[in-house]
Amino acid sequence: MYNIVSKTELATFTTQLVVEAPDVARKAQAGQFVVVRAGEKGERIPLTIADYDREKGTITMVIQPVGSSTGKICSLCEGSNLHDVAGPLGNASEIIENGLVVCIGGGIGIAPIYPIAREFKARGNKVISIIGARSAEYLFWEDKLRAVSDELHVATDDGSKGIKGFVTQPLADLISSGIKIDRVIAIGPLIMMKNIANATRPHGIKTIVSLNPIMVDGTGMCGSCRVSVGGQTKFSCVDGPEFDAHLVDFDGLMARGRMYGEEEKVSTERYQHEKNGVPLCLTRR
Amino acid sequence: MPDKEIIDRRHRIDPKEQEPAERIKNFDEVASTYTEEEALAEAKRCLKCKTPMCIEGCPVGIDIRQFIDEIKQGKFEDAARTIKAKNSLPAICGRVCPQESQCEKLCILSMKWTPVAIGRLERFAAEHEKQGEKPVIPEWNGKKVAVIGSGPAGLTAAGELAKMGYKVVIFEALHTAGGVLTYGIPEFRLPKDIVAKEVDYVKSLGVEIRLNQIVGKTITIDEMLKEYDAVFIGSGAGLPVFMGIPGENLCGVYSANEYLTRVNLMRAYQFPEHDTPIKKSNKVAVVGGGNVAMDAARTARRLGAHVYLIYRRGEEEMPARREEVIHAREEGIEFKLLTNPTKVVGDEKGWVKGIEVITMQLTEPDASGRRKPVPVKGSETVIDVDTVIIAIGTSPNPLLVKTTPGLKTNGHGGLEVDGYSFMTSREGVFAGGDAVSGSATVISAMGQAKEAAEAIDEYIKAKCKR
Ligand SMILES: Cc1cc2nc3c(=O)[nH]c(=O)nc-3n(C[C@H](O)[C@H](O)[C@H](O)COP(=O)(O)OP(=O)(O)OC[C@H]3O[C@@H](n4cnc5c(N)ncnc54)[C@H](O)[C@@H]3O)c2cc1C
Ligand SMILES: Cc1cc2nc3c(=O)[nH]c(=O)nc-3n(C[C@H](O)[C@H](O)[C@H](O)COP(=O)(O)OP(=O)(O)OC[C@H]3O[C@@H](n4cnc5c(N)ncnc54)[C@H](O)[C@@H]3O)c2cc1C
Ligand code: SF4
Ligand code: SF4
Ligand code: FES
Ligand SMILES: [Mg+2]
C-alpha cells in the first residue's frame, strides 16, 4: 500500500498526488515513470514521475482523469492508499550539457517536462520552455517551469493566456529567429508531438519525444507498448519511453492508442455510475 | 483365503471433466480431481515395480511407487508427505507437468497399455495434504538470501533456503506472486487459489515477498549483494518474441504474454468488474504449437471467438502437453497444421482483418532426426480474422544483464551458470529456471532451483569459514 500524503487540484482536470513510495523515490530520475493500480481490481496504468523527494521518500504524479482508472486514482483522498506503485520504469532522459535545449510540454505533458527541464538546467544548458494547454484554466506549474528555464513561453488554444495557438508556434518562431537549437524535447498529445517532429525535421534539429502507448506490465514482458521506430519494433517501456521523434511511426501509435475505445467507454460509464451513487471519500482513514 | 482381486490394468481411469460445450462458456477448471474411489482404482493399476522406471522420468525424483502404494492403502496424507519430500508444489505439478514425456512416459504399463496416471494421482494426493503441516524451521542462522522472481524457481529456492535457516526475501516485479503460474497458465487449467495457497505456504516458512520490485530498476543486484550473502535469480523467460512479419503492430495483434496476462493476472475475463479490458474477438488466429499457444487459443475460445491454431509442423510435432491438444480439439479449436503466417493484413483504420499464411512441407529427417518445415511456393492464402495472437516463444528479459556488470549470458539470452554450482559469472549470484534454460517446464525450474539452493548453502558456509 502506498499512502497518498497530499492531494492538490492544480488546474481543471489536473490532480497532483504526492505518494509515499520510498523505493521508487530513491532511484527516480527525470524521464521515468511508475505503473500504478488504484485498487484490487484496478488496471495497471503508467504515470510519469513528475517530481520526487528522496529524503521524504515521496514521488509526485500529476494526473488527468480521462477514464475509469485515472478517474479512480484522482478520486482517492489524502491519507488513503494506492494499491500498487511499481518503478521507476523506463530509461532516464538523456541529458546533454552546455547546449541550448527547448523543452515543450502540452496539456498534462507539462508535468513530465518539468523534471527534465530542471535536469537540463542543472547541467549547464540554456533552457527555453514552451508550455501549452486548451485554455488558461488547464495550465499549471508555470512558476515551477519558469524557475528552471531561461525563457518561458505560454500558448493556449483560445488565447486566454499567453499567445493564442499551439506550442508549435513559439517553436517555429525560435527556429526562424536563427538561434542554434541543440535539442528539442517534447511531451504531450501524440498529434502535438507529431507536429513538432514535422517542424524540426527540415532543420535537422535533434528532437526527442516521450511516448505514451498502452502498457500493461511496464517491464518488457507483454509487448503491448510496442512502437515502430525507424522501421524497427521497440518496446516503449524498456527501450523508451523517449525516442527520436523523427523516426517514430506516430500514425501507427495513434491507431494502437484507440484499440480499446469501446471497452474504455463501457468502463468509464460504469465508473461514472458508481461514483454518482457512492461518496468519493469512502477510503479515507 | 479370499479370491485375489482381478485388476484390469489396460485402461486408466479418467476423472470427471466438464463437457466441452459447457466449459467453453466458463473459466472453471476442466478436469476434476479424482474421487477417492477413482484414485484407489487407478492406484491399483500400478505394478509396484522392483525397478520403477517412472521415477527416472521425474526430474525431481519423487518416490512415485511409494506414494501410489500409500494411496492404494488409503493413507492419503502419507502419500502427500512422500511427494512433498521431493516436490513442494504437488497440486501444481500434478496438473501441469508434461507427464507423458516424463514420469508416465517411462511407466512400464505404457509399453503395452496406458501408463499409470501419475500426475492425476499426485494431484489427488495434494488435495489430502494435512492442513497446517509445516516442517520445523531451524532458528535463523544469521544469513540472508535475496531471490529475484516468485515463479516456481524463485518460490522453490526461497522455500528450500528458509527450511535451512536462512532469512529469505523474494523481490517480484509484478503485483502478485507466482510468475507464469499466475500470469500465464489460465484459471481453467490451474486455479489461481491453488497458486495463492502455495505462495502462502512459502510465506509461512518465514519468507518475505516484496511485490512491485523490479530488480535492475527499483534495486540492483549489486545493491542486494551489500545486504545479502547471496542472490538467486529466478526471473524466468518472459520476453515475448514476435515473428518480424509485416503488420505485426496492427491493432488486434497480441503477444500470447499480453493476451494471457490481461486475462489471468488482470482478470480481463471479468471486465468491466475488473478494470483491464481485452478485445472480444470473433475470429482469432493463434500462431504456435506449444502450451502457450494452446492456452491462448482456449482462452480466446472462452471469450467467445472461433479460433484457428496455426502451426508450421504437424500435430505430432507439437510441443504442447498432449492433454491440452486433445482438450483444444474438443473445444472446437480449428487446427491449421503445416501452415505458417507470412503477414498480417490490416484495414484502413489499422485493425487486423486477416492473416496471410503459406503451406509448409516437412523435409526428410535430418541428422538429428528432426524434420524441417519449408514453405511451398505460391501457396499463400488469407484467413479472415480480427485478432492475431503470437505464441512462438519467449526469451529471458535482458533487464538484469543490462543492469548488472559482469553478468554473462549463454548466447541464447539465458544466464550462463556453472553446471554444478548454478553460480553465474558473478560471485554469490546464482540462477535457475527459465532464466537459465529459456522457456522450459515448471518442474525443471523447480528442480534447478532446489539444486541451486543447496549450492547457495554450500557457498555461504564455505565463505563463512574463509
Ligand atoms: C509512459 C507514460 C507516462 C504517462 N504519464 C502520465 C501522467 O503523468 N499523467 C497522466 O495523466 N497520464 C499519463 N499517461 C497516460 C495514462 O497512462 C492514461 O491516460 C491512462 O492509462 C488512461 O487510463 P483510464 O482508464 O483512465 O482511461 P481509458 O478511458 O481507459 O483510456 C483513455 C486513453 O488512455 C490510453 N490508455 C488506456 N489504457 C492505458 C494504459 N494501460 N497505458 C497507457 N495508456 C492507456 C488510451 O490511449 C486510451 O484511449 C502516461 C502514459 C504513459 C505510457
Ligand atoms: C502460458 C504458459 C503455459 C505453460 N504451461 C506449462 C505447462 O503446462 N507445464 C509446464 O511444466 N510448464 C508450462 N509452462 C512453462 C512454465 O510455466 C515455466 O517453465 C516456469 O514457470 C518457469 O519458472 P521460473 O520460476 O523460472 O520463471 P517464471 O514462472 O517466468 O517466473 C519469473 C518471475 O520473475 C519475475 N521477474 C522477472 N524479472 C524480474 C526482475 N527484474 N525483478 C523482479 N522480478 C522479476 C517475473 O515477474 C515472474 O514472476 C508454461 C508457460 C507459459 C507462459
Ligand atoms: S512432478 Fe511431474 S514428472 Fe514428477 S512425478 Fe509429478 S507429474 Fe511426474
Ligand atoms: S513404472 Fe508404472 S507401474 Fe511401475 S511403479 Fe512406476 S507407476 Fe507403477
Ligand atoms: S508494457 Fe508490457 S512490454 Fe511494455
Ligand atoms: Mg482504462
Side-chain angles (χ1 to χ4, degrees):
Chain A
M1 290 292 190
Y2 301 78
N3 193 247
I4 298 171
V5 295
S6 87
K7 174 178 176 177
T8 319
E9 297 304 327
L10 295 179
T12 303
F13 292 130
T14 312
T15 302
Q16 171 185 292
L17 296 182
V18 179
V19 175
E20 223 167 76
D23 294 338
V24 182
R26 207 161 50 87
K27 283 297 182 71
Q29 288 179 56
Q32 291 186 299
F33 63 94
V34 284
V35 163
V36 172
R37 284 204 320 150
E40 229 178 320
K41 296 179 179 174
E43 188 177 19
R44 292 173 68 95
I45 66 159
L47 295 168
T48 309
I49 304 169
D51 208 346
Y52 47 83
D53 186 327
R54 299 205 206 280
E55 245 133 68
K56 292 199 183 115
T58 59
I59 59 169
T60 301
M61 291 172 278
V62 180
I63 307 142
Q64 193 172 38
V66 293
S68 61
S69 298
T70 47
K72 282 175 193 174
I73 290 171
C74 289
S75 72
L76 292 171
C77 311
E78 222 167 82
S80 66
N81 299 312
L82 288 170
H83 202 280
D84 297 286
V85 176
L89 297 166
N91 297 306
S93 300
E94 187 207 353
I95 308 290
I96 57 169
E97 287 177 2
N98 307 322
L100 175 70
V101 180
V102 179
C103 296
I104 309 174
I108 199 74
I110 296 171
I113 207 72
Y114 165 71
I116 299 173
R118 182 174 65 187
E119 205 55 38
F120 273 116
K121 184 70 193 155
R123 300 264 201 101
N125 294 283
K126 179 170 180 195
V127 175
I128 301 179
S129 296
I130 306 172
I131 58 173
R134 249 180 291 170
S135 69
E137 60 169 319
Y138 292 94
L139 274 176
F140 60 96
W141 281 13
E142 214 183 310
D143 294 347
K144 275 182 92 151
L145 267 144
R146 184 164 286 120
V148 299
S149 311
D150 295 273
E151 242 176 69
L152 178 74
H153 299 268
V154 177
T156 51
D157 297 2
D158 63 358
S160 51
K161 185 108 191 235
I163 66 144
K164 182 172 181 333
F166 300 126
V167 287
T168 34
Q169 192 51 53
L171 175 66
D173 295 344
L174 283 171
I175 294 174
S176 57
S177 77
I179 55 164
K180 185 179 166 290
I181 301 172
D182 296 294
R183 170 82 44 115
V184 169
I185 173 154
I187 309 181
L190 280 175
I191 186 70
M192 177 199 107
M193 297 193 283
K194 181 181 172 179
N195 288 334
I196 286 169
N198 287 341
T200 58
R201 190 179 285 112
H203 305 279
I205 302 170
K206 174 116 182 190
T207 305
I208 302 291
V209 286
S210 180
L211 301 181
N212 50 6
I214 296 178
M215 294 188 176
V216 183
D217 59 305
T219 69
M221 183 268 269
C222 75
S224 159
C225 63
R226 66 196 188 277
V227 54
S228 175
V229 180
Q232 275 187 313
T233 294
K234 300 280 180 190
F235 289 5
S236 300
C237 68
V238 284
D239 300 322
E242 291 180 4
F243 292 101
D244 185 335
H246 298 151
L247 301 178
V248 170
D249 169 17
F250 284 103
D251 296 338
L253 206 55
M254 282 180 209
R256 281 187 70 84
R258 289 190 290 266
M259 189 160 155
Y260 294 102
E262 283 162 43
E263 290 78 8
E264 283 155 2
K265 223 172 104 202
V266 170
S267 185
T268 305
E269 272 163 17
R270 186 186 149 99
Y271 166 66
Q272 291 293 353
H273 183 78
E274 277 174 3
K275 194 175 82 168
N276 294 338
V278 182
L280 277 185
C281 284
L282 263 188
T283 41
R284 188 191 280 281
R285 274 201 306 213
Chain B
M1 224 177 101
D3 286 346
K4 202 166 184 297
E5 188 185 0
I6 295 166
I7 302 162
D8 179 357
R9 288 207 161 78
R10 286 172 302 175
H11 307 289
R12 58 159 68 185
I13 310 279
D14 287 324
K16 219 175 124 235
E17 278 182 3
Q18 276 196 76
E19 288 303 320
E22 200 47 48
R23 69 189 192 231
I24 57 168
K25 294 188 213 133
N26 64 54
F27 275 79
D28 300 339
E29 215 177 352
V30 170
S32 309
T33 306
Y34 276 153
T35 59
E36 284 191 19
E37 262 174 16
E38 289 166 338
L40 287 170
E42 182 62 25
K44 278 185 189 157
R45 292 182 64 225
C46 173
L47 294 167
K48 220 178 157 185
C49 304
K50 280 226 170 60
T51 24
M53 290 306 293
C54 52
I55 300 179
E56 300 289 308
C58 173
V60 295
I62 292 176
D63 194 340
I64 297 170
R65 180 183 57 184
Q66 166 91 9
F67 97 73
I68 293 183
D69 195 46
E70 283 158 342
I71 291 180
K72 216 183 324 188
Q73 297 174 36
K75 298 188 204 154
F76 304 145
E77 283 179 6
D78 291 354
R81 212 170 290 124
T82 300
I83 300 170
K84 268 234 137 133
K86 296 281 179 174
N87 174 356
S88 53
L89 307 175
I92 292 169
C93 294
R95 285 173 169 83
V96 306
C97 248
Q99 291 96 6
E100 73 271 17
S101 53
Q102 300 182 349
C103 52
E104 293 178 13
K105 183 182 176 185
L106 298 185
C107 167
I108 195 81
L109 288 190
S110 70
M111 311 260 294
K112 253 177 137 173
W113 303 307
T114 53
V116 174
I118 301 169
R120 290 167 182 171
L121 289 170
E122 180 170 338
R123 171 177 168 180
F124 169 82
E127 204 102 318
H128 291 80
E129 226 178 284
K130 198 163 172 203
Q131 286 312 304
E133 187 162 304
K134 226 174 50 180
V136 192
I137 307 284
E139 218 171 284
W140 183 35
N141 61 15
K143 302 287 169 197
K144 285 164 76 175
V145 180
V147 168
I148 303 170
S150 61
L155 290 174
T156 305
E160 294 299 318
L161 288 161
K163 284 191 260 174
M164 296 174 198
Y166 290 93
K167 178 166 168 35
V168 185
V169 181
I170 297 181
F171 294 79
E172 167 56 50
L174 295 172
H175 60 262
T176 312
V180 169
L181 307 178
T182 297
Y183 78 71
I185 303 181
E187 178 80 17
F188 57 82
R189 209 148 70 75
L190 180 61
K192 298 308 147 218
D193 56 353
I194 290 180
V195 182
K197 224 174 91 190
E198 297 301 348
V199 170
D200 284 343
Y201 171 77
V202 172
K203 282 197 213 162
S204 78
L205 301 175
V207 172
E208 182 192 345
I209 303 184
R210 292 193 198 150
L211 302 170
N212 297 323
Q213 301 276 325
I214 304 97
V215 180
K217 290 285 178 186
T218 318
I219 181 170
T220 62
I221 289 182
D222 283 289
E223 286 169 312
M224 288 175 156
L225 284 170
K226 289 189 193 128
E227 196 186 332
Y228 298 88
D229 298 280
V231 173
F232 174 79
I233 304 176
S235 55
L239 187 79
V241 175
F242 285 90
M243 303 191 70
I245 55 174
E248 248 178 337
N249 291 349
L250 289 164
C251 293
V253 183
Y254 288 92
S255 73
N257 263 10
E258 180 185 354
Y259 199 78
L260 292 168
T261 299
R262 282 181 180 273
V263 176
N264 299 323
L265 177 70
M266 306 311 298
R267 308 224 156 221
Y269 67 97
Q270 293 171 339
F271 177 86
E273 194 198 327
H274 287 252
D275 293 337
T276 306
I278 185 95
K279 269 290 157 203
K280 284 265 158 67
S281 318
N282 291 317
K283 288 182 177 176
V284 177
V286 175
V287 183
N291 285 321
V292 185
M294 290 312 143
D295 284 345
R298 298 172 67 201
T299 298
R301 184 81 183 110
R302 280 162 174 73
L303 293 172
H306 180 81
V307 183
Y308 301 98
L309 188 103
I310 299 176
Y311 182 53
R312 64 198 179 117
R313 301 172 191 264
E315 187 167 330
E316 295 291 292
E317 284 87 3
M318 280 187 175
R321 290 179 78 222
R322 193 67 210 143
E323 187 178 327
E324 313 311 330
V325 176
I326 294 167
H327 280 157
R329 275 213 186 272
E330 287 172 357
E331 289 165 11
I333 309 289
E334 191 175 329
F335 285 32
K336 296 268 183 193
L337 301 169
L338 289 167
T339 305
N340 206 29
T342 43
K343 93 179 170 208
V344 185
V345 189
D347 65 14
E348 59 293 336
K349 284 191 183 140
W351 267 92
V352 173
K353 67 169 188 186
I355 186 163
E356 187 192 89
V357 296
I358 193 164
T359 305
M360 307 295 277
Q361 216 169 18
L362 291 180
T363 56
E364 288 304 308
D366 61 12
S368 66
R370 201 157 158 86
R371 305 172 66 190
K372 228 177 77 183
V374 290
V376 177
K377 265 212 185 93
S379 64
E380 289 92 344
T381 49
V382 174
I383 308 172
D384 284 348
V385 292
D386 54 12
T387 303
V388 171
I389 303 172
I390 312 282
I392 57 164
T394 54
S395 62
N397 192 318
L399 180 62
L400 290 173
V401 173
K402 272 198 215 157
T403 54
T404 314
L407 190 63
K408 290 195 192 139
T409 56
N410 57 21
H412 307 288
L415 295 170
E416 183 187 294
V417 291
D418 178 274
Y420 170 71
S421 72
F422 288 90
M423 203 195 290
T424 64
S425 51
R426 283 291 306 270
E427 194 196 320
V429 180
F430 299 73
D434 282 6
V436 171
S437 58
S439 35
T441 61
V442 172
I443 192 71
S444 62
M446 290 174 57
Q448 289 181 18
K450 203 168 163 181
E451 289 186 47
E454 279 156 23
I456 289 171
D457 182 44
E458 272 176 40
Y459 164 79
I460 293 179
K461 279 183 181 146
K463 198 168 75 169
C464 293
K465 280 203 202 110
R466 258 193 296 195

